[in-house]
Amino acid sequence: SERVLVTGAASGIGAALVDRLLARGDRVLALDRAPVAPRPGVEVLTCDLADPAAITSVLERVDVDGGVDRVAHVAGVPGTAPPLSVLAVNVLAPVLLVGTLIARMAPGGSAVTVSSVAAHRSAVPDDELDELLAATDPDGLARWLARHPHSGAEAYDTAKKALVRWTRLAAGDAVARGIRVNSVSPGPVETPILADFRASMGEADIDRAAATVGRHGRPEEVAAAIAFLLGPDASWISGTDLPVEGGLLAVRAARAA
Ligand code: NAI
């Protein structure tokens, strides 16, 4: 049985992933700032991912317990939050947490991050994303925001775009050590965060997505994709982003063609 750390484990996609991993016999380290119900096979890690010091202490605790074989960064905050919090949880937290866990992983390990189709809405170019990814603390994020002003909603899109880029670059660095790193990009999924997306991205956009592909996704459908990329069935896949959106991007491409 493997030890898998899941962030955002208290709700939605993260909670569905925990269920799935337990069903296949993994031991789960369930990280969230919100309470996670204790149950057999689950070790709860309470942590506010917006706080780098809290991430450092979680990493120490994980190390003392023998490290992890795999990690899924599912936690995220919507664009209704202030831009600095959006960048802290959706970019800096995975860079610090997933980056460190990858560096300490044994060969055969894997990581998955959760981005979003919203990444395609950001026009921020790669060199500016790289500046954002170079921030090592919230002050660095604040300096980046001062140079590149973003609303909360814009910060969400840019954060998810930066996360796809980071994941790909981290995957390239990890290949030589036998570790795989991938991301998934969900379209709208029926979880509590969807109400916030309606507020930050506009109800029309969210409803149009459902109209385009017939419905919103279910958290289990995204959890299945994450579990696939984390596990041995994806042993020859690294550095890729898997859209999980019912064909939304394909329909948009077909319409634009
Ligand atoms: P959710 O709101 O059900 O779950 C998010 C979880 O992240 C919550 O348990 C929350 O407590 C945790 N979290 C947030 N901030 C945290 C912090 N500072 N420290 C620790 N934990 C924190 O939402 P859902 O849908 O499960 O979202 C999971 C991921 O999927 C997010 O990264 C989100 O951006 C992404 N996503 C969701 C879509 C949707 O329509 N539901 C669409 C595209 C991407």
Side-chain angles (χ1 to χ4, degrees), residues 8-14 31-34 47-50 74-77 89-90 114-117 156 160 185-194 197:
S11 175
I13 295 166
L31 186 155
D32 209 293
R33 68 176 166 187
C47 172
D48 179 359
L49 290 170
V74 187
V77 286
V89 178
N90 298 4
V114 178
S115 178
S116 168
V117 293
Y156 183 84
K160 293 303 193 180
S185 284
V189 177
E190 293 289 357
T191 71
I193 212 173
L194 197 55
F197 292 155

Side-chain angles (χ1 to χ4, degrees), residues 17 26 30 55-56 69 92 101 103 109 111 123-124 130 140-141 158 160 168 182 187 199 213 216 220 233-234 256:
L17 179 62
D26 291 337
I55 294 177
T56 302
D69 304 297
L92 183 59
L101 290 174
V124 173
D130 289 342
L141 298 177
T158 293
K160 293 303 193 180
R168 190 166 172 80
N182 293 286
V213 295
H216 290 318
E220 303 77 37
D233 285 345

Side-chain angles (χ1 to χ4, degrees), residues 117 183-189 217-218 221-226 229 241-249:
V117 293
S183 56
V184 300
S185 284
V189 177
R218 295 187 297 271
E221 293 176 305
V222 183
I226 300 170
L229 288 171
D241 178 61
L242 178 59
V244 185
E245 29 69 308
L248 180 63
L249 298 175

Side-chain angles (χ1 to χ4, degrees), residues 7-105:
T7 75
S11 175
I13 295 166
L17 179 62
V18 172
D19 288 343
R20 204 177 169 99
L21 296 173
L22 289 175
R24 78 180 185 196
D26 291 337
R27 284 167 299 156
V28 178
L29 285 73
L31 186 155
D32 209 293
R33 68 176 166 187
V36 177
R39 50 183 161 149
V42 175
E43 181 186 336
V44 177
L45 300 172
T46 304
C47 172
D48 179 359
L49 290 170
D51 175 8
I55 294 177
T56 302
S57 49
V58 150
L59 283 166
E60 278 165 14
R61 182 165 159 196
V62 169
D63 254 4
V64 167
D65 291 355
V68 294
D69 304 297
R70 308 185 189 282
V71 55
H73 175 67
V74 187
V77 286
T80 44
L84 188 59
S85 321
V86 173
L87 296 184
V89 178
N90 298 4
V91 180
L92 183 59
V95 170
L96 297 177
L97 181 77
V98 181
T100 304
L101 290 174
I102 290 173
R104 296 177 183 172
M105 254 175 209

